[in-house]
Amino acid sequence: MDMQTSFLDRLFDAGLLIDTGIDGLYGRSGQFEDVIAAFERLIDKFGGADGAEAMRFPPGMNRAFFEKSGYMKSFPQLAGTVHSFCGSELDHVSLLECMEVGEDWTKGQEATDIVLTPAACYPLYPTVAKRGNLPKTGGLFDLQSYCFRHEPSKDPARQQLFRMREYVCMGTEQHVTDFRQRWMDRGVEMMKAVGLEVTIDIANDPFFGRAGKMLANNQRDQNLKFELLIPITSVANPTACMSFNYHQDAFGTKWGLNLEDGSVAHTACVGFGLERIALALFHHHGLDVKQWPASVRKTLWG
Ligand code: ATP
Ligand code: ZN
Ligand code: MG
């Protein structure tokens, strides 16, 4: 049995994660949720004075916005769409017959106007664009959403439905890169306060296909993405628990996000992988929260 399987099994045995029969789709215990809630309060403490506007979107988004985002160009392998039965009574009869004999009953499902949210910030850009020019101070937003990515895995840190807390900043290049640097520093400080050793490294997104290799190299060459890494299931390949993305003016141009003077906004987003952070805490301090170091408990629960 490899290390990953055993950490996942230990999480199941302790009841912290609940097996659904699908890799990467888990229930969470009250204790697991309590750790996430406590860590989110810590995020609030670090980010609270910045005056971000909080918004919460459901885990599904407007399909038209998703299409416009270009997600299918870059990450078709990860996307999840919502389909429904839209047929007649006759179609219903054949649907049930299909299910009865174990044939593929999903073929007749039709796409709805909703797709699963791939990252917490995706619904934000068109929402803000609709408001008109940003104020002089730019924009700062506080988001949290369940996100879907079709990447089934036995690694408990790679889930198909997981929560991302994000701050998104819109403004000049200097403004948003300062924002990103501030959160890199805060990320290191926060993880230290909960007893986790971290490293920060340049990263890239998993762009699809051969053309995607070039996009990934370009992202690295331009220092557009950094990750805060913590060993969870492997020391050699530590897990990205936060990411820090600078989009230049790509989203500003795509969505028509403009500053007060009419120039195109630059944007950056900082994401916390909430399940991954909880898993890092359980991995490092043990599965019994009562046994965690007093300093860590004090940081999280006062
Ligand atoms: P990885 O390189 O591990 O796939 P990522 O680059 O895809 O991570 P982002 O797209 O930057 O990650 O997502 C923001 C944050 O969401 C990540 O820093 C991570 O903490 C979390 N995250 C991403 N994918 C998953 C997943 N499959 N399960 C749990 N958390 C995830
Ligand atoms: Zn984002
Ligand atoms: Mg990924």
Side-chain angles (χ1 to χ4, degrees), residues 62-97:
N62 183 330
R63 176 156 65 94
F65 292 156
F66 172 84
E67 288 165 1
K68 181 167 167 165
S69 77
Y71 196 83
M72 292 306 282
K73 281 191 196 133
S74 298
F75 314 110
Q77 77 280 20
L78 298 176
T81 54
V82 178
H83 285 63
S84 278
F85 171 75
C86 305
S88 64
E89 284 185 58
L90 208 60
D91 296 325
H92 184 215
V93 172
S94 35
L95 169 78
L96 293 183
E97 277 170 4

PDB file of all heavy atoms in Angstrom, residues 62-97:
ATOM      1  N   ASN A  62     -22.867  30.739 -14.624  1.00  0.00           N
ATOM      2  CA  ASN A  62     -23.504  31.012 -15.914  1.00  0.00           C
ATOM      3  C   ASN A  62     -22.654  30.410 -17.044  1.00  0.00           C
ATOM      4  O   ASN A  62     -21.496  30.764 -17.209  1.00  0.00           O
ATOM      5  CB  ASN A  62     -23.620  32.536 -16.051  1.00  0.00           C
ATOM      6  CG  ASN A  62     -24.333  32.959 -17.317  1.00  0.00           C
ATOM      7  OD1 ASN A  62     -24.278  32.285 -18.340  1.00  0.00           O
ATOM      8  ND2 ASN A  62     -25.010  34.094 -17.230  1.00  0.00           N
ATOM      9  N   ARG A  63     -23.246  29.500 -17.813  1.00  0.00           N
ATOM     10  CA  ARG A  63     -22.470  28.814 -18.858  1.00  0.00           C
ATOM     11  C   ARG A  63     -21.913  29.787 -19.889  1.00  0.00           C
ATOM     12  O   ARG A  63     -20.810  29.591 -20.404  1.00  0.00           O
ATOM     13  CB  ARG A  63     -23.335  27.752 -19.548  1.00  0.00           C
ATOM     14  CG  ARG A  63     -22.630  27.070 -20.720  1.00  0.00           C
ATOM     15  CD  ARG A  63     -23.182  25.689 -21.017  1.00  0.00           C
ATOM     16  NE  ARG A  63     -24.556  25.699 -21.468  1.00  0.00           N
ATOM     17  CZ  ARG A  63     -24.922  25.715 -22.761  1.00  0.00           C
ATOM     18  NH1 ARG A  63     -24.011  25.743 -23.728  1.00  0.00           N
ATOM     19  NH2 ARG A  63     -26.203  25.697 -23.080  1.00  0.00           N
ATOM     20  N   ALA A  64     -22.652  30.847 -20.201  1.00  0.00           N
ATOM     21  CA  ALA A  64     -22.176  31.828 -21.193  1.00  0.00           C
ATOM     22  C   ALA A  64     -20.886  32.497 -20.695  1.00  0.00           C
ATOM     23  O   ALA A  64     -19.952  32.718 -21.478  1.00  0.00           O
ATOM     24  CB  ALA A  64     -23.259  32.866 -21.463  1.00  0.00           C
ATOM     25  N   PHE A  65     -20.833  32.803 -19.398  1.00  0.00           N
ATOM     26  CA  PHE A  65     -19.613  33.414 -18.841  1.00  0.00           C
ATOM     27  C   PHE A  65     -18.452  32.424 -18.872  1.00  0.00           C
ATOM     28  O   PHE A  65     -17.305  32.775 -19.149  1.00  0.00           O
ATOM     29  CB  PHE A  65     -19.848  33.911 -17.412  1.00  0.00           C
ATOM     30  CG  PHE A  65     -20.802  35.081 -17.315  1.00  0.00           C
ATOM     31  CD1 PHE A  65     -21.488  35.321 -16.129  1.00  0.00           C
ATOM     32  CD2 PHE A  65     -20.993  35.937 -18.392  1.00  0.00           C
ATOM     33  CE1 PHE A  65     -22.364  36.399 -16.023  1.00  0.00           C
ATOM     34  CE2 PHE A  65     -21.868  37.027 -18.294  1.00  0.00           C
ATOM     35  CZ  PHE A  65     -22.552  37.247 -17.100  1.00  0.00           C
ATOM     36  N   PHE A  66     -18.783  31.184 -18.558  1.00  0.00           N
ATOM     37  CA  PHE A  66     -17.766  30.126 -18.590  1.00  0.00           C
ATOM     38  C   PHE A  66     -17.189  29.989 -20.004  1.00  0.00           C
ATOM     39  O   PHE A  66     -15.970  29.887 -20.187  1.00  0.00           O
ATOM     40  CB  PHE A  66     -18.408  28.820 -18.125  1.00  0.00           C
ATOM     41  CG  PHE A  66     -17.542  27.610 -18.295  1.00  0.00           C
ATOM     42  CD1 PHE A  66     -16.591  27.281 -17.343  1.00  0.00           C
ATOM     43  CD2 PHE A  66     -17.692  26.781 -19.402  1.00  0.00           C
ATOM     44  CE1 PHE A  66     -15.793  26.150 -17.495  1.00  0.00           C
ATOM     45  CE2 PHE A  66     -16.903  25.654 -19.562  1.00  0.00           C
ATOM     46  CZ  PHE A  66     -15.948  25.341 -18.610  1.00  0.00           C
ATOM     47  N   GLU A  67     -18.074  29.998 -21.010  1.00  0.00           N
ATOM     48  CA  GLU A  67     -17.623  29.876 -22.408  1.00  0.00           C
ATOM     49  C   GLU A  67     -16.708  31.033 -22.761  1.00  0.00           C
ATOM     50  O   GLU A  67     -15.638  30.864 -23.340  1.00  0.00           O
ATOM     51  CB  GLU A  67     -18.840  29.810 -23.347  1.00  0.00           C
ATOM     52  CG  GLU A  67     -19.568  28.476 -23.242  1.00  0.00           C
ATOM     53  CD  GLU A  67     -20.972  28.498 -23.864  1.00  0.00           C
ATOM     54  OE1 GLU A  67     -21.393  29.544 -24.405  1.00  0.00           O
ATOM     55  OE2 GLU A  67     -21.645  27.443 -23.790  1.00  0.00           O
ATOM     56  N   LYS A  68     -17.135  32.236 -22.367  1.00  0.00           N
ATOM     57  CA  LYS A  68     -16.342  33.428 -22.691  1.00  0.00           C
ATOM     58  C   LYS A  68     -14.982  33.421 -21.966  1.00  0.00           C
ATOM     59  O   LYS A  68     -14.004  33.988 -22.469  1.00  0.00           O
ATOM     60  CB  LYS A  68     -17.133  34.685 -22.329  1.00  0.00           C
ATOM     61  CG  LYS A  68     -16.389  35.952 -22.662  1.00  0.00           C
ATOM     62  CD  LYS A  68     -17.268  37.182 -22.615  1.00  0.00           C
ATOM     63  CE  LYS A  68     -16.363  38.404 -22.637  1.00  0.00           C
ATOM     64  NZ  LYS A  68     -17.034  39.634 -22.943  1.00  0.00           N
ATOM     65  N   SER A  69     -14.929  32.781 -20.828  1.00  0.00           N
ATOM     66  CA  SER A  69     -13.681  32.792 -20.046  1.00  0.00           C
ATOM     67  C   SER A  69     -12.537  32.096 -20.775  1.00  0.00           C
ATOM     68  O   SER A  69     -11.365  32.330 -20.471  1.00  0.00           O
ATOM     69  CB  SER A  69     -13.899  32.106 -18.694  1.00  0.00           C
ATOM     70  OG  SER A  69     -13.903  30.685 -18.867  1.00  0.00           O
ATOM     71  N   GLY A  70     -12.861  31.216 -21.715  1.00  0.00           N
ATOM     72  CA  GLY A  70     -11.809  30.475 -22.418  1.00  0.00           C
ATOM     73  C   GLY A  70     -11.358  29.225 -21.681  1.00  0.00           C
ATOM     74  O   GLY A  70     -10.369  28.606 -22.063  1.00  0.00           O
ATOM     75  N   TYR A  71     -12.084  28.845 -20.627  1.00  0.00           N
ATOM     76  CA  TYR A  71     -11.667  27.676 -19.837  1.00  0.00           C
ATOM     77  C   TYR A  71     -11.518  26.430 -20.702  1.00  0.00           C
ATOM     78  O   TYR A  71     -10.591  25.638 -20.503  1.00  0.00           O
ATOM     79  CB  TYR A  71     -12.675  27.420 -18.703  1.00  0.00           C
ATOM     80  CG  TYR A  71     -12.134  26.504 -17.628  1.00  0.00           C
ATOM     81  CD1 TYR A  71     -11.323  27.005 -16.612  1.00  0.00           C
ATOM     82  CD2 TYR A  71     -12.418  25.142 -17.625  1.00  0.00           C
ATOM     83  CE1 TYR A  71     -10.806  26.183 -15.630  1.00  0.00           C
ATOM     84  CE2 TYR A  71     -11.908  24.310 -16.636  1.00  0.00           C
ATOM     85  CZ  TYR A  71     -11.101  24.832 -15.647  1.00  0.00           C
ATOM     86  OH  TYR A  71     -10.588  24.014 -14.675  1.00  0.00           O
ATOM     87  N   MET A  72     -12.419  26.258 -21.683  1.00  0.00           N
ATOM     88  CA  MET A  72     -12.370  25.053 -22.517  1.00  0.00           C
ATOM     89  C   MET A  72     -11.167  25.042 -23.450  1.00  0.00           C
ATOM     90  O   MET A  72     -10.774  23.985 -23.935  1.00  0.00           O
ATOM     91  CB  MET A  72     -13.671  24.883 -23.320  1.00  0.00           C
ATOM     92  CG  MET A  72     -14.882  24.574 -22.459  1.00  0.00           C
ATOM     93  SD  MET A  72     -14.657  23.153 -21.364  1.00  0.00           S
ATOM     94  CE  MET A  72     -14.878  21.806 -22.528  1.00  0.00           C
ATOM     95  N   LYS A  73     -10.594  26.220 -23.722  1.00  0.00           N
ATOM     96  CA  LYS A  73      -9.362  26.258 -24.511  1.00  0.00           C
ATOM     97  C   LYS A  73      -8.198  25.736 -23.685  1.00  0.00           C
ATOM     98  O   LYS A  73      -7.342  25.016 -24.192  1.00  0.00           O
ATOM     99  CB  LYS A  73      -9.052  27.698 -24.948  1.00  0.00           C
ATOM    100  CG  LYS A  73      -9.873  28.162 -26.128  1.00  0.00           C
ATOM    101  CD  LYS A  73      -9.333  29.483 -26.680  1.00  0.00           C
ATOM    102  CE  LYS A  73     -10.372  30.130 -27.580  1.00  0.00           C
ATOM    103  NZ  LYS A  73     -10.554  31.556 -27.274  1.00  0.00           N
ATOM    104  N   SER A  74      -8.171  26.104 -22.424  1.00  0.00           N
ATOM    105  CA  SER A  74      -7.003  25.813 -21.596  1.00  0.00           C
ATOM    106  C   SER A  74      -7.110  24.509 -20.812  1.00  0.00           C
ATOM    107  O   SER A  74      -6.134  23.787 -20.672  1.00  0.00           O
ATOM    108  CB  SER A  74      -6.769  26.956 -20.608  1.00  0.00           C
ATOM    109  OG  SER A  74      -6.496  28.150 -21.288  1.00  0.00           O
ATOM    110  N   PHE A  75      -8.312  24.235 -20.256  1.00  0.00           N
ATOM    111  CA  PHE A  75      -8.452  23.107 -19.322  1.00  0.00           C
ATOM    112  C   PHE A  75      -9.691  22.257 -19.607  1.00  0.00           C
ATOM    113  O   PHE A  75     -10.491  21.991 -18.699  1.00  0.00           O
ATOM    114  CB  PHE A  75      -8.544  23.634 -17.878  1.00  0.00           C
ATOM    115  CG  PHE A  75      -7.524  24.689 -17.533  1.00  0.00           C
ATOM    116  CD1 PHE A  75      -7.916  26.008 -17.324  1.00  0.00           C
ATOM    117  CD2 PHE A  75      -6.175  24.373 -17.418  1.00  0.00           C
ATOM    118  CE1 PHE A  75      -6.983  26.995 -17.005  1.00  0.00           C
ATOM    119  CE2 PHE A  75      -5.236  25.352 -17.096  1.00  0.00           C
ATOM    120  CZ  PHE A  75      -5.635  26.670 -16.889  1.00  0.00           C
ATOM    121  N   PRO A  76      -9.868  21.810 -20.862  1.00  0.00           N
ATOM    122  CA  PRO A  76     -11.096  21.040 -21.171  1.00  0.00           C
ATOM    123  C   PRO A  76     -11.195  19.769 -20.332  1.00  0.00           C
ATOM    124  O   PRO A  76     -12.307  19.308 -20.037  1.00  0.00           O
ATOM    125  CB  PRO A  76     -10.910  20.703 -22.666  1.00  0.00           C
ATOM    126  CG  PRO A  76      -9.431  20.755 -22.880  1.00  0.00           C
ATOM    127  CD  PRO A  76      -8.930  21.859 -21.984  1.00  0.00           C
ATOM    128  N   GLN A  77     -10.038  19.241 -19.922  1.00  0.00           N
ATOM    129  CA  GLN A  77     -10.006  17.962 -19.196  1.00  0.00           C
ATOM    130  C   GLN A  77     -10.545  18.085 -17.775  1.00  0.00           C
ATOM    131  O   GLN A  77     -10.863  17.079 -17.145  1.00  0.00           O
ATOM    132  CB  GLN A  77      -8.557  17.421 -19.177  1.00  0.00           C
ATOM    133  CG  GLN A  77      -7.587  18.093 -18.185  1.00  0.00           C
ATOM    134  CD  GLN A  77      -7.004  19.421 -18.642  1.00  0.00           C
ATOM    135  OE1 GLN A  77      -7.548  20.094 -19.528  1.00  0.00           O
ATOM    136  NE2 GLN A  77      -5.909  19.839 -18.016  1.00  0.00           N
ATOM    137  N   LEU A  78     -10.652  19.318 -17.265  1.00  0.00           N
ATOM    138  CA  LEU A  78     -11.049  19.509 -15.863  1.00  0.00           C
ATOM    139  C   LEU A  78     -12.504  19.939 -15.711  1.00  0.00           C
ATOM    140  O   LEU A  78     -13.069  19.856 -14.618  1.00  0.00           O
ATOM    141  CB  LEU A  78     -10.152  20.579 -15.210  1.00  0.00           C
ATOM    142  CG  LEU A  78      -8.656  20.262 -15.141  1.00  0.00           C
ATOM    143  CD1 LEU A  78      -7.891  21.450 -14.556  1.00  0.00           C
ATOM    144  CD2 LEU A  78      -8.416  19.016 -14.289  1.00  0.00           C
ATOM    145  N   ALA A  79     -13.104  20.410 -16.790  1.00  0.00           N
ATOM    146  CA  ALA A  79     -14.410  21.059 -16.690  1.00  0.00           C
ATOM    147  C   ALA A  79     -15.531  20.068 -16.372  1.00  0.00           C
ATOM    148  O   ALA A  79     -15.478  18.899 -16.755  1.00  0.00           O
ATOM    149  CB  ALA A  79     -14.723  21.780 -17.996  1.00  0.00           C
ATOM    150  N   GLY A  80     -16.536  20.565 -15.697  1.00  0.00           N
ATOM    151  CA  GLY A  80     -17.746  19.796 -15.423  1.00  0.00           C
ATOM    152  C   GLY A  80     -18.965  20.612 -15.805  1.00  0.00           C
ATOM    153  O   GLY A  80     -19.081  21.790 -15.443  1.00  0.00           O
ATOM    154  N   THR A  81     -19.869  20.006 -16.567  1.00  0.00           N
ATOM    155  CA  THR A  81     -21.057  20.728 -17.017  1.00  0.00           C
ATOM    156  C   THR A  81     -22.292  20.097 -16.372  1.00  0.00           C
ATOM    157  O   THR A  81     -22.272  18.919 -16.031  1.00  0.00           O
ATOM    158  CB  THR A  81     -21.169  20.655 -18.550  1.00  0.00           C
ATOM    159  OG1 THR A  81     -21.130  19.277 -18.940  1.00  0.00           O
ATOM    160  CG2 THR A  81     -20.000  21.376 -19.211  1.00  0.00           C
ATOM    161  N   VAL A  82     -23.361  20.860 -16.238  1.00  0.00           N
ATOM    162  CA  VAL A  82     -24.594  20.343 -15.651  1.00  0.00           C
ATOM    163  C   VAL A  82     -25.587  20.050 -16.772  1.00  0.00           C
ATOM    164  O   VAL A  82     -25.926  20.951 -17.550  1.00  0.00           O
ATOM    165  CB  VAL A  82     -25.201  21.350 -14.653  1.00  0.00           C
ATOM    166  CG1 VAL A  82     -26.522  20.813 -14.100  1.00  0.00           C
ATOM    167  CG2 VAL A  82     -24.223  21.640 -13.521  1.00  0.00           C
ATOM    168  N   HIS A  83     -25.997  18.811 -16.851  1.00  0.00           N
ATOM    169  CA  HIS A  83     -26.966  18.391 -17.870  1.00  0.00           C
ATOM    170  C   HIS A  83     -28.251  17.909 -17.192  1.00  0.00           C
ATOM    171  O   HIS A  83     -28.210  17.391 -16.074  1.00  0.00           O
ATOM    172  CB  HIS A  83     -26.381  17.275 -18.738  1.00  0.00           C
ATOM    173  CG  HIS A  83     -25.369  17.769 -19.732  1.00  0.00           C
ATOM    174  ND1 HIS A  83     -24.188  18.353 -19.358  1.00  0.00           N
ATOM    175  CD2 HIS A  83     -25.383  17.778 -21.088  1.00  0.00           C
ATOM    176  CE1 HIS A  83     -23.510  18.697 -20.443  1.00  0.00           C
ATOM    177  NE2 HIS A  83     -24.215  18.354 -21.508  1.00  0.00           N
ATOM    178  N   SER A  84     -29.376  18.069 -17.891  1.00  0.00           N
ATOM    179  CA  SER A  84     -30.662  17.647 -17.330  1.00  0.00           C
ATOM    180  C   SER A  84     -31.500  16.943 -18.382  1.00  0.00           C
ATOM    181  O   SER A  84     -31.273  17.116 -19.589  1.00  0.00           O
ATOM    182  CB  SER A  84     -31.440  18.857 -16.810  1.00  0.00           C
ATOM    183  OG  SER A  84     -30.992  19.213 -15.534  1.00  0.00           O
ATOM    184  N   PHE A  85     -32.477  16.220 -17.885  1.00  0.00           N
ATOM    185  CA  PHE A  85     -33.458  15.602 -18.779  1.00  0.00           C
ATOM    186  C   PHE A  85     -34.474  16.659 -19.199  1.00  0.00           C
ATOM    187  O   PHE A  85     -35.086  17.307 -18.349  1.00  0.00           O
ATOM    188  CB  PHE A  85     -34.156  14.453 -18.037  1.00  0.00           C
ATOM    189  CG  PHE A  85     -35.326  13.898 -18.788  1.00  0.00           C
ATOM    190  CD1 PHE A  85     -35.138  13.078 -19.891  1.00  0.00           C
ATOM    191  CD2 PHE A  85     -36.632  14.210 -18.401  1.00  0.00           C
ATOM    192  CE1 PHE A  85     -36.217  12.565 -20.593  1.00  0.00           C
ATOM    193  CE2 PHE A  85     -37.708  13.706 -19.094  1.00  0.00           C
ATOM    194  CZ  PHE A  85     -37.512  12.881 -20.199  1.00  0.00           C
ATOM    195  N   CYS A  86     -34.645  16.854 -20.493  1.00  0.00           N
ATOM    196  CA  CYS A  86     -35.558  17.901 -20.978  1.00  0.00           C
ATOM    197  C   CYS A  86     -36.586  17.318 -21.943  1.00  0.00           C
ATOM    198  O   CYS A  86     -37.193  18.046 -22.738  1.00  0.00           O
ATOM    199  CB  CYS A  86     -34.769  19.007 -21.687  1.00  0.00           C
ATOM    200  SG  CYS A  86     -33.451  19.735 -20.692  1.00  0.00           S
ATOM    201  N   GLY A  87     -36.787  16.009 -21.901  1.00  0.00           N
ATOM    202  CA  GLY A  87     -37.596  15.352 -22.926  1.00  0.00           C
ATOM    203  C   GLY A  87     -39.082  15.264 -22.612  1.00  0.00           C
ATOM    204  O   GLY A  87     -39.583  15.828 -21.631  1.00  0.00           O
ATOM    205  N   SER A  88     -39.765  14.526 -23.467  1.00  0.00           N
ATOM    206  CA  SER A  88     -41.206  14.317 -23.361  1.00  0.00           C
ATOM    207  C   SER A  88     -41.483  13.075 -22.486  1.00  0.00           C
ATOM    208  O   SER A  88     -40.552  12.415 -22.024  1.00  0.00           O
ATOM    209  CB  SER A  88     -41.771  14.082 -24.751  1.00  0.00           C
ATOM    210  OG  SER A  88     -41.210  12.874 -25.273  1.00  0.00           O
ATOM    211  N   GLU A  89     -42.770  12.771 -22.337  1.00  0.00           N
ATOM    212  CA  GLU A  89     -43.119  11.558 -21.588  1.00  0.00           C
ATOM    213  C   GLU A  89     -42.606  10.310 -22.299  1.00  0.00           C
ATOM    214  O   GLU A  89     -42.176   9.349 -21.656  1.00  0.00           O
ATOM    215  CB  GLU A  89     -44.642  11.476 -21.410  1.00  0.00           C
ATOM    216  CG  GLU A  89     -45.137  12.431 -20.335  1.00  0.00           C
ATOM    217  CD  GLU A  89     -46.618  12.270 -20.068  1.00  0.00           C
ATOM    218  OE1 GLU A  89     -47.039  11.156 -19.707  1.00  0.00           O
ATOM    219  OE2 GLU A  89     -47.341  13.260 -20.231  1.00  0.00           O
ATOM    220  N   LEU A  90     -42.649  10.362 -23.632  1.00  0.00           N
ATOM    221  CA  LEU A  90     -42.139   9.233 -24.410  1.00  0.00           C
ATOM    222  C   LEU A  90     -40.627   9.061 -24.180  1.00  0.00           C
ATOM    223  O   LEU A  90     -40.138   7.944 -23.987  1.00  0.00           O
ATOM    224  CB  LEU A  90     -42.423   9.485 -25.900  1.00  0.00           C
ATOM    225  CG  LEU A  90     -42.589   8.231 -26.762  1.00  0.00           C
ATOM    226  CD1 LEU A  90     -43.765   7.378 -26.265  1.00  0.00           C
ATOM    227  CD2 LEU A  90     -42.798   8.627 -28.231  1.00  0.00           C
ATOM    228  N   ASP A  91     -39.938  10.185 -24.205  1.00  0.00           N
ATOM    229  CA  ASP A  91     -38.484  10.149 -23.941  1.00  0.00           C
ATOM    230  C   ASP A  91     -38.209   9.587 -22.543  1.00  0.00           C
ATOM    231  O   ASP A  91     -37.228   8.880 -22.321  1.00  0.00           O
ATOM    232  CB  ASP A  91     -37.881  11.556 -24.035  1.00  0.00           C
ATOM    233  CG  ASP A  91     -37.998  12.152 -25.426  1.00  0.00           C
ATOM    234  OD1 ASP A  91     -37.893  11.386 -26.396  1.00  0.00           O
ATOM    235  OD2 ASP A  91     -38.206  13.379 -25.528  1.00  0.00           O
ATOM    236  N   HIS A  92     -39.121   9.924 -21.620  1.00  0.00           N
ATOM    237  CA  HIS A  92     -38.960   9.442 -20.247  1.00  0.00           C
ATOM    238  C   HIS A  92     -39.059   7.920 -20.188  1.00  0.00           C
ATOM    239  O   HIS A  92     -38.274   7.263 -19.492  1.00  0.00           O
ATOM    240  CB  HIS A  92     -40.018  10.093 -19.346  1.00  0.00           C
ATOM    241  CG  HIS A  92     -39.873   9.735 -17.903  1.00  0.00           C
ATOM    242  ND1 HIS A  92     -40.951   9.561 -17.058  1.00  0.00           N
ATOM    243  CD2 HIS A  92     -38.765   9.498 -17.156  1.00  0.00           C
ATOM    244  CE1 HIS A  92     -40.514   9.241 -15.858  1.00  0.00           C
ATOM    245  NE2 HIS A  92     -39.192   9.204 -15.877  1.00  0.00           N
ATOM    246  N   VAL A  93     -39.988   7.388 -20.978  1.00  0.00           N
ATOM    247  CA  VAL A  93     -40.151   5.923 -21.019  1.00  0.00           C
ATOM    248  C   VAL A  93     -38.855   5.276 -21.512  1.00  0.00           C
ATOM    249  O   VAL A  93     -38.348   4.323 -20.903  1.00  0.00           O
ATOM    250  CB  VAL A  93     -41.350   5.526 -21.913  1.00  0.00           C
ATOM    251  CG1 VAL A  93     -41.382   4.013 -22.115  1.00  0.00           C
ATOM    252  CG2 VAL A  93     -42.659   6.018 -21.295  1.00  0.00           C
ATOM    253  N   SER A  94     -38.294   5.822 -22.589  1.00  0.00           N
ATOM    254  CA  SER A  94     -37.062   5.188 -23.094  1.00  0.00           C
ATOM    255  C   SER A  94     -35.883   5.414 -22.157  1.00  0.00           C
ATOM    256  O   SER A  94     -35.009   4.549 -22.049  1.00  0.00           O
ATOM    257  CB  SER A  94     -36.731   5.635 -24.521  1.00  0.00           C
ATOM    258  OG  SER A  94     -37.067   6.957 -24.745  1.00  0.00           O
ATOM    259  N   LEU A  95     -35.899   6.541 -21.468  1.00  0.00           N
ATOM    260  CA  LEU A  95     -34.854   6.777 -20.446  1.00  0.00           C
ATOM    261  C   LEU A  95     -34.891   5.674 -19.393  1.00  0.00           C
ATOM    262  O   LEU A  95     -33.863   5.075 -19.056  1.00  0.00           O
ATOM    263  CB  LEU A  95     -35.071   8.152 -19.795  1.00  0.00           C
ATOM    264  CG  LEU A  95     -34.245   8.450 -18.543  1.00  0.00           C
ATOM    265  CD1 LEU A  95     -32.820   8.828 -18.924  1.00  0.00           C
ATOM    266  CD2 LEU A  95     -34.854   9.570 -17.718  1.00  0.00           C
ATOM    267  N   LEU A  96     -36.098   5.402 -18.874  1.00  0.00           N
ATOM    268  CA  LEU A  96     -36.214   4.400 -17.809  1.00  0.00           C
ATOM    269  C   LEU A  96     -35.877   2.998 -18.324  1.00  0.00           C
ATOM    270  O   LEU A  96     -35.249   2.208 -17.615  1.00  0.00           O
ATOM    271  CB  LEU A  96     -37.623   4.426 -17.208  1.00  0.00           C
ATOM    272  CG  LEU A  96     -37.974   5.706 -16.446  1.00  0.00           C
ATOM    273  CD1 LEU A  96     -39.369   5.596 -15.823  1.00  0.00           C
ATOM    274  CD2 LEU A  96     -36.949   6.030 -15.367  1.00  0.00           C
ATOM    275  N   GLU A  97     -36.239   2.728 -19.570  1.00  0.00           N
ATOM    276  CA  GLU A  97     -35.890   1.428 -20.166  1.00  0.00           C
ATOM    277  C   GLU A  97     -34.368   1.293 -20.256  1.00  0.00           C
ATOM    278  O   GLU A  97     -33.802   0.247 -19.949  1.00  0.00           O
ATOM    279  CB  GLU A  97     -36.494   1.322 -21.576  1.00  0.00           C
ATOM    280  CG  GLU A  97     -37.951   0.869 -21.567  1.00  0.00           C
ATOM    281  CD  GLU A  97     -38.612   0.988 -22.938  1.00  0.00           C
ATOM    282  OE1 GLU A  97     -37.916   1.348 -23.913  1.00  0.00           O
ATOM    283  OE2 GLU A  97     -39.833   0.740 -22.996  1.00  0.00           O
TER     284      GLU A  97
END
